Amino acid sequence: MCIFTCTDFIGYWPVGTAAVVRADSRDVAEKMLRERLRDLGLPQKEHGLTLELFSKDMRIKILCDGDY
């Protein structure tokens, strides 16, 4: 099982967004994230979301630091 992060999906307001997804692969993670966002009323554009692997060697990853 892998952990992926995504900080480029379209949210409710024009501010930063961040999600963490646990899945077996990047493709499955993107499908799961798209489904969840759609359930929340946030359907995404067709372009691929950027899902980055949170590797076992990483200890910290800043997802959104407020710098726009």
Side-chain angles (χ1 to χ4, degrees), residues 1 4 11 18 21 24 37 40 43 47 50 53 62 64 67-68:
M1 201 53 75
F4 297 92
V21 183
D24 289 327
L37 292 170
L40 293 171
H47 77 284
T50 305
L53 179 63
I62 305 299
C64 185
D67 184 11
Y68 299 103

Side-chain angles (χ1 to χ4, degrees), residues 20-31:
V20 177
V21 183
R22 190 177 69 202
D24 289 327
S25 70
R26 190 178 314 271
D27 290 339
V28 172
E30 182 171 345
K31 181 177 186 250

Side-chain angles (χ1 to χ4, degrees), residues 9-38:
F9 62 91
I10 300 167
Y12 291 110
W13 305 104
V15 297
T17 58
V20 177
V21 183
R22 190 177 69 202
D24 289 327
S25 70
R26 190 178 314 271
D27 290 339
V28 172
E30 182 171 345
K31 181 177 186 250
M32 291 171 52
L33 180 56
R34 285 183 178 279
E35 288 174 0
R36 180 66 178 127
L37 292 170
R38 186 175 51 248

